[in-house]
């Protein structure tokens, strides 16, 4: 068994700002201050929930293993950290869930509960969409109109907004359409954050960035990936078997696992 040392300096990508044991793995992070419970290294059955999300199997709610194909998702906004830093009087519309108070019945006398989304709520969702659109348009202007995956996200988000604005729906349909819209808006924000702030540092590690703890980050078993994300300023958790933890590793804090009990 490795004897781990506690140090408060010289923390690099293979050292541990935090460390914990999660049977059968040791999990370390060089740049995060917490360790989230991993639910991503074994096959698990997906369970769709009434709010249109998938809980800890949902990349918009919980960190997932790093994927080169969807590398921008590490820049998804982290709900836990966003709530901790946000003004409690303000609503995080990216994570808001409709209630029946947001459900405006078209005909209260009818036995069919058909309605539209409250106008004020629609405005807040549209405002998020508009912020993403401005960011996309500014970037596309520099890229001479180059089409990328984010263009399709933008069009689909616009389509969902039109449905919520003009179509009569049941309450359950409104909940699902809102969740899908939020997913696309978070996807757009993550993609633009990745392109504008972190992609360059991933490509050129000699120009590192400070860690942005508001981002979701990811788990990985690959040391090279951990190093790249550390340089790019993205929270990363390196998952290793105990025998691969070096005896001279530098450790700042031993922490407990944070479980997904809020989703």
């Amino acid at each position: 068994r490795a004897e781990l040392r506690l140090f408060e300096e010289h923390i690099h990508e293979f050292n541990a700002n935090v460390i914990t044991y999660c049977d059968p793995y040791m999990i370390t992070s060089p740049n995060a201050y917490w360790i989230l419970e991993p639910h991503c290294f074994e096959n698990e059955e997906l369970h769709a929930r009434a709010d249109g999300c998938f809980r800890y199997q949902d990349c918009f709610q919980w960190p997932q293993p790093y994927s080169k194909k969807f590398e921008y998702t590490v820049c998804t906004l982290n709900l836990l950290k966003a709530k901790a830093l946000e003004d409690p009087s303000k609503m995080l519309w990216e994570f808001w869930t409709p209630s029946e108070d947001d459900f405006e019945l078209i005909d209260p006398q009818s036995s069919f509960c058909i309605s539209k989304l409250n106008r004020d709520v629609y405005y807040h969702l549209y405002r998020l969409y508009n912020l993403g659109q401005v960011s996309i348009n500014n970037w596309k202007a520099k890229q001479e109109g180059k089409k990328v995956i984010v263009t399709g996200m933008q069009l689909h988000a616009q389509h969902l907004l039109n449905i919520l604005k003009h179509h009569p729906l049941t309450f359950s349909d409104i909940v699902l359409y809102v969740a899908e819209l939020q997913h696309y808006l978070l996807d757009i924000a993550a993609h633009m954050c990745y392109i504008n702030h972190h992609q360059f540092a991933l490509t050129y590690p000699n120009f590192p960035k400070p860690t942005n703890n508001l981002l979701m980050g990811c788990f990985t078993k690959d040391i090279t990936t951990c190093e790249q994300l550390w340089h790019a300023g993205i929270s990363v958790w390196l998952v290793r078997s105990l025998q691969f933890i070096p005896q001279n590793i530098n450790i700042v804090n031993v922490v407990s696992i944070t479980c997904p009990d809020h989703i």
Side-chain angles (χ1 to χ4, degrees):
R1 179 176 177 180
E3 293 184 6
L4 306 180
R5 299 186 297 159
L6 292 173
F7 286 98
E8 294 186 356
E9 57 183 357
H10 307 306
I11 296 298
H12 299 294
E13 60 268 34
F14 307 131
N15 295 147
N17 192 46
V18 287
I19 188 170
T20 196
Y21 179 70
C22 183
D23 191 25
Y25 299 111
M26 295 295 298
I27 304 177
T28 61
S29 175
N31 57 357
Y33 294 92
W34 65 97
I35 295 179
L36 304 179
E37 186 177 22
H39 288 274
C40 52
F41 294 110
E42 296 179 1
N43 292 328
E44 296 190 37
E45 185 178 350
L46 285 175
H47 295 280
R49 294 161 59 87
D51 61 2
C53 301
F54 293 93
R55 203 163 176 253
Y56 55 75
Q57 297 149 331
D58 192 328
C59 66
F60 301 105
Q61 294 189 295
W62 205 249
Q64 305 298 312
Y66 179 77
S67 169
K68 184 67 176 177
K69 186 176 180 180
F70 300 102
E71 56 189 353
Y72 69 90
T73 57
V74 298
C75 292
T76 302
L77 182 65
N78 185 309
L79 173 59
L80 280 174
K81 298 304 170 185
K83 281 187 173 180
L85 295 178
E86 187 61 60
D87 183 344
S89 64
K90 295 182 179 179
M91 175 67 71
L92 283 171
W93 292 99
E94 298 92 335
F95 302 103
W96 166 82
T97 300
S99 69
E100 292 190 2
D101 293 335
D102 308 303
F103 190 67
E104 294 184 347
L105 289 173
I106 293 175
D107 183 4
Q109 305 302 321
S110 173
S111 58
F112 298 99
C113 296
I114 303 298
S115 71
K116 290 184 179 180
L117 192 64
N118 180 286
R119 292 182 181 180
D120 291 337
V121 171
Y122 174 83
Y123 165 76
H124 289 295
L125 294 175
Y126 178 81
R127 182 179 56 83
L128 287 179
Y129 165 79
N130 193 53
L131 288 173
Q133 188 176 36
V134 170
S135 179
I136 291 171
N137 290 340
N138 290 339
W139 179 78
K140 286 172 66 176
K142 299 175 184 177
Q143 300 296 317
E144 298 181 352
K146 180 181 178 181
K147 290 186 177 181
V148 291
I149 185 174
V150 74
T151 304
M153 298 175 190
Q154 180 186 21
L155 292 173
H156 197 80
Q158 184 180 32
H159 172 67
L160 292 169
L161 278 170
N162 286 334
I163 291 176
L164 290 170
K165 183 177 182 180
H166 298 293
H167 290 245
L169 300 165
T170 63
F171 177 66
S172 58
D173 286 337
I174 284 181
V175 172
L176 293 176
Y177 276 117
V178 166
E180 186 175 1
L181 173 62
Q182 289 169 320
H183 289 171
Y184 274 95
L185 295 177
L186 285 168
D187 235 359
I188 290 171
H191 199 284
M192 298 314 300
C193 176
Y194 172 76
I195 290 174
N196 292 328
H197 303 294
H198 298 279
Q199 188 177 36
F200 185 83
L202 277 169
T203 307
Y204 301 99
N206 291 332
F207 299 91
K209 291 185 67 66
T211 301
N212 184 348
N213 289 314
L214 281 176
L215 303 182
M216 187 69 73
C218 67
F219 295 100
T220 184
K221 289 183 176 180
D222 182 67
I223 292 178
T224 301
T225 298
C226 178
E227 181 179 13
Q228 291 172 339
L229 294 171
W230 178 71
H231 282 293
I234 297 167
S235 298
V236 57
W237 294 273
L238 181 60
V239 181
R240 291 175 282 183
S241 297
L242 185 59
Q243 62 266 31
F244 295 112
I245 301 294
Q247 294 197 13
N248 63 345
I249 185 174
N250 291 338
I251 301 171
V252 175
N253 287 306
V254 178
V255 299
S256 300
I257 287 283
T258 300
C259 298
D261 55 2
H262 65 293
I263 53 177

